[in-house]
């Protein structure tokens, strides 16, 4: 019984990690939004090559990977601020909440940007259509790809779709980087 009571007392004395989650979430939410914006405008302004894979798509993957490091920043900040040990589970939790915060910040900025440039989605759709039309695919396959891509791109502006896509992606990725951060930056128990 004494060991259980001792563990509960230790958990109750742990400082809150919400400040670290908020700081990392806002920083990485803004970074992810800015990089996504750059990627979108790079796609809009690129010449249609007819290629199904382009360097702009690699930028999208890069944006996703950059957003994954919010959990590591949050655990670093938390460990650095309080000079405490962080268990893997707590690092995972910090990473998950950071991923949620990144998603919320990204969606808020994305919705604001829709007022600044309401035609951006249509410009991106036009760019994708031009790229597919420049490809050497058979017409039926080309039209099918255009239709499915246009439908998915139009749906990406809804908050529900953004939450459905980004919460699991950034949540899961930041769980892993939060655990890595807990292992790397947390003071070792001894």
């Amino acid at each position: 019984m004494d060991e259980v009571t001792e563990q509960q007392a230790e958990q109750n004395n742990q400082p809150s990690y919400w400040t670290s989650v908020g700081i990392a979430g806002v920083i990485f939410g803004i970074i992810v939004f800015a990089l996504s914006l750059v990627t979108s405008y790079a796609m809009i302004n690129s010449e249609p090559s007819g290629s199904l894979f382009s360097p702009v798509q690699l930028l999208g993957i890069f944006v996703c990977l950059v957003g994954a490091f919010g959990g590591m920043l949050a655990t670093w900040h938390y460990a650095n601020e309080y000079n405490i040990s962080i268990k893997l589970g707590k690092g995972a939790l910090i990473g998950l909440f950071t991923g949620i915060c990144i998603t919320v910040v990204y969606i808020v900025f994305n919705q604001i940007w829709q007022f600044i440039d309401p035609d951006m989605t249509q410009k991106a759709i036009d760019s994708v259509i031009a790229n597919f039309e420049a490809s050497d695919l058979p017409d039926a396959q080309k039209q099918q790809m255009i239709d499915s891509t246009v439908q998915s791109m139009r749906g990406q502006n809804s908050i529900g779709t953004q939450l459905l896509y980004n919460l699991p992606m950034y949540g899961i990725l930041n769980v892993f980087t939060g655990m890595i951060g807990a292992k790397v930056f947390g003071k070792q128990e001894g």
Side-chain angles (χ1 to χ4, degrees), residues 24 27-33 35 59-73 102 170 173-174 177:
I27 289 171
F28 275 88
I30 291 170
I31 290 171
V32 165
F33 168 73
L35 290 174
L59 280 175
I61 294 169
F62 176 71
V63 170
C64 179
L65 291 176
V66 166
F69 285 95
M72 191 173 285
L73 176 67
I102 289 169
Y170 289 120
L173 290 173
N174 280 289
T177 61

Side-chain angles (χ1 to χ4, degrees), residues 1-15 85 87 90 189:
M1 266 318 218
D2 291 330
E3 188 175 314
V4 172
T5 309
E6 194 175 301
Q7 286 177 347
Q8 288 174 342
E10 182 182 313
Q11 288 176 350
N12 291 338
N13 292 333
Q14 292 284 322
S85 64
K87 294 183 179 179
K90 186 173 238 177
E189 295 180 286

Side-chain angles (χ1 to χ4, degrees), residues 65-132:
L65 291 176
V66 166
F69 285 95
M72 191 173 285
L73 176 67
T75 53
W76 170 81
H77 182 269
Y78 183 65
N80 193 41
E81 188 75 17
Y82 299 108
N83 193 28
I84 59 172
S85 64
I86 304 173
K87 294 183 179 179
L88 287 180
K90 186 173 238 177
L93 191 62
I94 291 171
L96 175 66
F97 289 140
T98 303
I100 292 169
C101 188
I102 289 169
T103 300
V104 169
V105 169
Y106 169 76
I107 290 172
V108 166
F109 278 101
N110 199 33
Q111 293 302 310
I112 291 170
W113 195 259
Q114 294 300 316
F115 289 109
I116 295 170
D117 187 2
D119 297 331
M120 185 179 84
T121 301
Q122 187 58 47
K123 291 175 194 172
I125 290 170
D126 294 342
S127 174
V128 168
I129 290 172
N131 194 48
F132 280 138

